[in-house]
Amino acid sequence: MQKSNNLICHRIIIGIIVLIMVLPLVATLLYSLSTRWGATILPDGLTLHWYIDLLSDPRFLWSFARSILVCAAGLALCIVVMIPVIFIVFYSLPGLKKVFNFIVVLPFAVPPVVSSVGLLQLYSDGFLPISGTFWILIFTYFTIVIPFVYRSMANSFAAVSLHDLMDAARLLGASTPQAFFKCVLPNLKKGILSAVFISFSILIGEFVFANILVGTRFETLQIYLYNTRQVSGHFTSALVIFYFAFIFLLTFIASRLGNHK
Amino acid sequence: MAMTKKRYHRRGAKALTYTALLGPFALLFALFQLAPVLWVVINSFIYDGELTLDNYRAIWDSAFTLQSFYNSLWLSLISSLIGLIIALLLVNSLRRVDCRLRRMVISFINMSSNFSGVPLAFAFIIILGVNGSITLLLRSIGLVEEFDLYSKWGLLAIYTYFQIPLAVLLLYPAFDALKDEWQEAAQLLGASMLQYVRKVALPVLTPAIIGTFVILIANAMGAYASVYALTSGNYNVITIRIAALVSGDIFLEPNLAAAISVLLMLIMAVIVMINYTLLNRSRYAKKQ
């Protein structure tokens, strides 16, 4: 008797907390679908008008395309640069693992606002004047995703017995690069893919670097979202819902990939 | 002789391969992660081309800058505390319900951990703004007279909102350490629920709770986008202050921004150190 009472109690607690967490989302969704929602608790009427407006705004489509481009470029750069590094660390220089455990927490210890103070001064002029262009975003996005890419790749490396795999391939006459590309890399596909989706959802939401280092000179989705705040609440809501649906898709794919390991 | 030469040669080739493979990463990491931090640390001690502590003195003398530290610390501590308590309640209840509900809630929380920054600020304006539906609802019930989303209470609400998913995701795995049998054993020995929580559950969970708390504080101290979007950069917290000094419209003082940044990183370092000492102490307590 007491146990079932407890169960109801736990369900109520979960229900209340989830309700609080869902509330902003549901309200934004309702707002984006309503014709007018003035000084009342519920909206007046429903419409898809705001979504049509949004999807026919070229400025929105361009900012979305720019976001995808810069996030994909930063992430691709990180993966291409990290694959040989992780291979060396796990295969030949395991002593470096400690160094990397430190390296991957550094981006967390330094808030992006702090980094951007230095970045702004270092790359505004001098040998590499890339501040204000999308290049600086690509390189900073590279630093943001290092921990996520390293973690998920390191997990896959730990899961395959790397040395056995390499030895077997070499015994059959493959060179070290051949053994790596043909035997080791295919095993990492799932780890890399889940890293891609997690990192992508993080980068799409990045605002600090985009706002301080580049601003409107290369308007990404987040900057566009901020700049259109004065247009109309309904329009902005449609944009927020679109954004969240996109993130939902990415995290959904990531969790699917994670489950089928 | 020939042998050693060959070995040298091989060693040289190996070093070359390592450099070629590790080099690009090392270069990019140095240029875009280490160099900016180094610039900040060095330039925080430079004013008008001279080595000095003037920047730090300027922080101490400016009530406005000190207020930003106070506001940031206040928001971080309180939001971390509330977020932690709510997350503990949720995770504890999640472990008692069936697997399907648990999995659904966890994947929802996982998703909502991405709901932060600018989009979250707009969602809050819609529900808690001057004519927001929740504000109207609360007013019609008579719970609140006026709720100002753009004040510290509004910011506390939004900070707490983005802390909860993070806290849940960090605490959830830690609860695996708690065995159901322990609670039954404690009950059989005549312990009350409160005694069980105080003497068994909390000591086991302490390291995870402290660790989570530290990450939450760091997360809140570094938060920028939500405050900026909610108040258009008008609320005085550390990150807003720093950004205004390097990219504002009026006057730029990157070296003062650097000094504030160094203090921000110092505060975070101190919090991490406190975490370590507390962790060690709790392990010691467990051994006893």
Side-chain angles (χ1 to χ4, degrees), chain A residues 4-261:
Chain A
S4 69
N5 266 343
N6 270 343
L7 191 65
I8 293 170
C9 198
H10 287 304
R11 287 220 168 121
I12 291 173
I13 293 175
I14 294 174
I16 291 173
I17 297 174
V18 169
L19 182 72
I20 294 172
M21 298 302 289
V22 167
L23 214 57
L25 262 177
V26 174
T28 314
L29 181 66
L30 262 182
Y31 206 75
S32 74
L33 289 170
S34 60
T35 46
R36 220 175 59 84
W37 195 358
T40 50
I41 291 165
L42 284 173
D44 296 347
L46 298 178
T47 170
L48 277 175
H49 171 95
W50 308 108
Y51 286 92
I52 297 165
D53 270 10
L54 178 69
L55 291 173
S56 54
D57 179 6
R59 197 173 150 202
F60 159 71
L61 295 172
W62 273 112
S63 71
F64 188 49
R66 278 190 211 103
S67 269
I68 301 241
L69 172 75
V70 76
C71 296
L75 185 55
L77 177 69
C78 190
I79 289 171
V80 169
V81 168
M82 286 303 274
I83 286 177
V85 170
I86 297 185
F87 176 68
I88 296 259
V89 169
F90 274 75
Y91 189 62
S92 332
L93 304 168
L96 279 183
K97 269 185 208 170
K98 271 195 183 138
V99 180
F100 270 89
N101 283 337
F102 174 72
I103 283 179
V104 294
V105 296
L106 206 60
F108 290 116
V110 183
V113 173
V114 172
S115 285
S116 62
V117 173
L119 288 164
L120 207 57
Q121 310 305 318
L122 284 170
Y123 301 108
S124 287
D125 42 27
F127 70 105
L128 206 60
I130 53 172
S131 179
T133 68
F134 81 110
W135 292 105
I136 190 101
L137 280 189
I138 291 179
F139 291 126
T140 48
Y141 284 9
F142 158 83
T143 61
I144 291 178
V145 293
I146 289 173
F148 304 98
V149 171
Y150 180 82
R151 276 272 168 265
S152 53
M153 281 210 235
N155 286 345
S156 338
F157 261 101
V160 298
S161 41
L162 184 61
H163 284 270
D164 292 348
L165 210 60
M166 288 294 289
D167 288 347
R170 292 244 288 250
L171 212 61
L172 294 169
S175 67
T176 308
Q178 264 179 330
F180 174 73
F181 282 109
K182 298 232 161 118
C183 295
V184 179
L185 209 53
N187 280 301
L188 299 180
K189 219 167 86 188
K190 281 235 169 90
I192 294 176
L193 272 179
S194 79
V196 165
F197 289 106
I198 294 170
S199 309
F200 215 90
S201 62
I202 289 164
L203 289 183
I204 281 278
E206 206 286 324
F207 178 73
V208 185
F209 286 134
N211 186 44
I212 298 179
L213 298 176
V214 183
T216 46
R217 279 164 289 183
F218 186 79
E219 194 177 59
T220 60
L221 192 59
Q222 292 280 325
I223 301 293
Y224 172 75
L225 182 57
Y226 180 74
N227 287 338
T228 49
R229 71 192 184 283
Q230 307 293 6
V231 178
S232 144
H234 300 283
F235 183 78
T236 326
S237 306
L239 183 50
V240 170
I241 292 298
F242 176 88
Y243 165 80
F244 201 68
F246 187 67
I247 298 275
F248 173 75
L249 194 70
L250 291 175
T251 42
F252 181 73
I253 297 171
S255 72
R256 263 298 158 88
L257 287 170
N259 284 342
H260 287 276
K261 236 177 226 167

Side-chain angles (χ1 to χ4, degrees), chain A residues 10 21 27 92 123 237 248, chain B residues 18 31 93 98 111 126-127 161:
Chain A
H10 287 304
M21 298 302 289
S92 332
Y123 301 108
S237 306
F248 173 75
Chain B
Y18 286 165
L31 280 178
S93 291
D98 54 301
M111 238 171 46
I126 291 165
I127 58 167
Y161 183 92

Side-chain angles (χ1 to χ4, degrees), chain B residues 3-256:
Chain B
M3 277 289 282
T4 47
K5 212 173 204 176
K6 202 170 175 188
R7 200 178 288 159
Y8 271 126
H9 183 69
R10 214 195 245 166
R11 198 176 283 171
K14 217 173 188 180
L16 207 67
T17 329
Y18 286 165
T19 323
L21 293 179
L22 294 176
F25 173 80
L27 181 73
L28 287 174
F29 190 76
L31 280 178
F32 296 99
Q33 182 74 63
L34 297 179
V37 178
L38 262 179
W39 189 96
V40 164
V41 173
I42 293 171
N43 282 273
S44 72
F45 294 104
I46 294 175
Y47 185 78
D48 263 350
E50 273 175 53
L51 211 59
T52 138
L53 282 175
D54 280 2
N55 295 316
Y56 291 95
R57 212 166 291 139
I59 295 174
W60 188 248
D61 289 340
S62 155
F64 190 52
T65 314
L66 287 180
Q67 187 200 33
S68 77
F69 276 89
Y70 173 79
N71 286 344
S72 272
L73 280 170
W74 187 87
L75 276 172
S76 305
L77 283 174
I78 311 272
S79 73
S80 303
L81 208 60
I82 302 175
L84 192 66
I85 290 168
I86 294 177
L88 279 171
L89 276 175
L90 181 64
V91 173
N92 178 51
S93 291
L94 275 180
R95 301 206 66 87
R96 302 263 172 260
V97 297
D98 54 301
C99 177
R100 243 187 76 217
L101 178 64
R102 189 189 316 157
R103 218 177 295 151
M104 266 166 56
V105 173
I106 284 294
S107 42
F108 166 71
I109 293 288
N110 202 358
M111 238 171 46
S112 65
S113 69
N114 281 308
F115 196 34
S116 63
V118 187
L120 182 64
F122 289 153
F124 264 71
I125 293 174
I126 291 165
I127 58 167
L128 282 172
V130 182
N131 272 328
S133 43
I134 302 291
T135 318
L136 293 175
L137 192 69
L138 291 177
R139 210 182 291 155
S140 66
I141 303 172
L143 261 175
V144 285
E145 278 291 298
E146 282 302 315
F147 180 76
D148 186 6
L149 180 62
Y150 312 100
S151 71
K152 70 176 181 180
W153 298 110
L155 282 169
L156 184 63
I158 202 168
Y159 269 60
T160 308
Y161 183 92
F162 70 64
Q163 300 275 44
I164 293 172
L166 187 61
V168 171
L169 294 177
L170 289 168
L171 282 174
Y172 184 68
F175 269 67
D176 283 336
L178 275 187
K179 301 250 172 7
D180 284 345
E181 299 92 73
W182 293 351
Q183 191 179 353
E184 282 158 26
Q187 245 164 21
L188 278 178
L189 292 170
S192 69
M193 190 63 198
L194 196 70
Q195 275 174 318
Y196 163 74
V197 169
R198 264 190 49 213
K199 302 265 159 142
V200 182
L202 271 184
V204 173
L205 292 174
T206 303
I209 291 176
I210 297 173
T212 306
F213 190 59
V214 168
I215 294 178
L216 291 183
I217 290 182
N219 184 40
M221 295 279 285
Y224 167 77
S226 350
V227 200
Y228 185 80
L230 196 63
T231 67
S232 306
N234 285 325
Y235 194 79
N236 195 15
V237 293
I238 302 179
T239 46
I240 296 285
R241 200 75 281 109
I242 294 172
L245 286 171
V246 292
S247 69
D249 316 314
I250 320 162
F251 29 176
L252 303 181
E253 285 185 75
N255 292 32
L256 182 59

